[in-house]
Each structure stands twice: as structure tokens, then as C-alpha cells.
Amino acid sequence: INGKMGYREQYLVGIANCYNRMGNFQESLNYLEKIEENKMDNKIKAGYYTSYSSNLYFLNKSLNKAEELINKSRKLLDMPESMLLQGLITIELNKKDEASQLIEQYLKKETRKKYMFEIYTVMYIDEYTSEICENFMLGLYYKKIGEGVNAKKYFSKSAKCNYKNYFSDISKELYK
């Protein structure tokens, strides 16, 4: 990994995202903590903030910091999955109306773009894996607000995966 602007950080964000998708949130945080924020362009930084926020949320650590980071991410690049994550964080912080608005906005987006960032480096976001995670998060949201039918609908979508992964495995348990 060379030290040019963005390369090292982009690799570390990519590695952290892999650990996040595997459900190893602490290891993902460990990689994110090695990153120098001043060496990232804004698009990579948005992914960094989203990943960091996601890890804090799933580890149930410092939800206020998770909210701060997801807000920073959305100011830099308003990715649909960031809106979804922000909805989950705000419902945990007992801001039900705000969370409901975020989830409704997310669901109204007819096309939820998958991103490929290209500045100094390229970061690919896998559409299939993102959908698994997004369906899992929607299931969590609906479970939290007591809408079991909707929770089950999204957990069942996330559970339909051909390979072992954290989000599908947990969805299968919650779908029962």
C-alpha cells in the first residue's frame, strides 16, 4: 500500500467494509481507526463515516457518535443506505418521527443507485450484498417499531442468500 493521497485509506476502507459485511464489526472498526481522514477525498470519506457509524450501531456503542458520523457522511454524499442507517440510529435514540421520515424517504426512492467512486482510486459497492444488508436493516427498523409483518417481509428477503454471511444468518433467526 503506497502513501499517496487516498490509496492507503481507500484500501483500509475497503478492508473495513469487508469485515463489516462479515459481521465482524470490531475488526472493521480496528481498520477504520488506522485511517488518516485528511488523506481521503470526500467520496471515500463519506464511505468511511458510513462504515464507522454502522459498526458503532451494530456494536451498540456510542449511538450519539454514530449519529454524528452518519450526518457527516450524508452531507458529503447522500447514499440511500446512509439514509437507512440514519433511520435505524435515530429510532434507537428514541426519535421515532425523524426515523419514520428517513425510512419513508428511503423507500420512496424509485432507484437506489449503487456507487462506484473514482477519484484517486476506485471503490466498488456490491449491489447484491448491499441489498442483503439493506433488507436486514429494514427488517430491524420494522421490528423495532412493532410492525412484525413488515419486519418478517424484509428479513425473509435478506435470508434468501446463496452464501453464508452475517446479515442473512441473523435474518434467518429473526424470520422464524
Side-chain angles (χ1 to χ4, degrees):
I1 300 175
N2 72 38
K4 288 187 179 180
M5 180 79 121
Y7 284 108
R8 177 183 178 276
E9 279 56 37
Q10 193 265 313
Y11 287 127
L12 292 173
V13 169
I15 292 167
N17 282 335
C18 289
Y19 278 112
N20 177 280
R21 298 289 188 199
M22 291 168 42
N24 191 339
F25 305 114
Q26 188 57 57
E27 191 63 22
S28 179
L29 269 181
N30 293 343
Y31 275 92
L32 292 172
E33 289 170 354
K34 296 176 183 181
I35 291 173
E36 296 176 51
E37 284 186 57
N38 63 336
K39 290 193 174 181
M40 291 184 283
D41 60 65
N42 284 342
K43 290 180 181 179
I44 299 296
K45 200 178 285 188
Y48 163 80
Y49 290 142
T50 299
S51 293
Y52 209 113
S53 181
S54 173
N55 290 319
L56 292 175
Y57 171 80
F58 286 114
L59 289 169
N60 201 21
K61 287 183 176 180
S62 187
L63 291 175
N64 289 322
K65 182 171 181 170
E67 181 182 42
E68 175 189 327
L69 293 171
I70 201 64
N71 285 334
K72 282 183 174 183
S73 174
R74 291 195 63 215
K75 285 178 184 171
L76 295 172
L77 183 67
D78 196 13
M79 298 178 288
E81 55 269 15
S82 298
M83 184 184 301
L84 178 56
L85 178 60
Q86 186 177 18
L88 281 176
I89 293 167
T90 55
I91 195 73
E92 288 297 325
L93 293 171
N94 295 315
K95 300 176 185 178
K96 188 176 180 177
D97 290 340
E98 185 180 337
S100 177
Q101 289 174 345
L102 287 162
I103 299 301
E104 285 177 31
Q105 280 180 290
Y106 171 81
L107 291 171
K108 285 181 183 175
K109 289 188 178 276
E110 287 186 26
T111 57
R112 294 190 279 277
K113 291 190 281 184
K114 300 303 170 197
Y115 288 86
M116 182 182 86
F117 306 143
E118 187 171 352
I119 302 298
Y120 297 104
T121 56
V122 176
M123 176 181 288
Y124 296 97
I125 306 296
D126 177 77
E127 186 173 351
Y128 181 67
T129 304
S130 291
E131 286 180 17
I132 293 166
C133 182
E134 289 170 25
N135 284 318
F136 172 74
M137 290 194 296
L138 284 167
L140 284 179
Y141 170 76
Y142 285 115
K143 184 177 191 296
K144 180 73 177 173
I145 64 170
E147 290 188 19
V149 172
N150 279 329
K152 197 171 190 172
K153 171 182 149 185
Y154 287 104
F155 286 140
S156 71
K157 288 180 179 183
S158 179
K160 293 178 185 173
C161 180
N162 301 343
Y163 62 90
K164 185 171 175 49
N165 70 83
Y166 173 81
F167 299 106
S168 293
D169 291 348
I170 299 298
S171 290
K172 288 172 188 170
E173 288 178 27
L174 294 171
Y175 176 63
K176 293 178 184 177

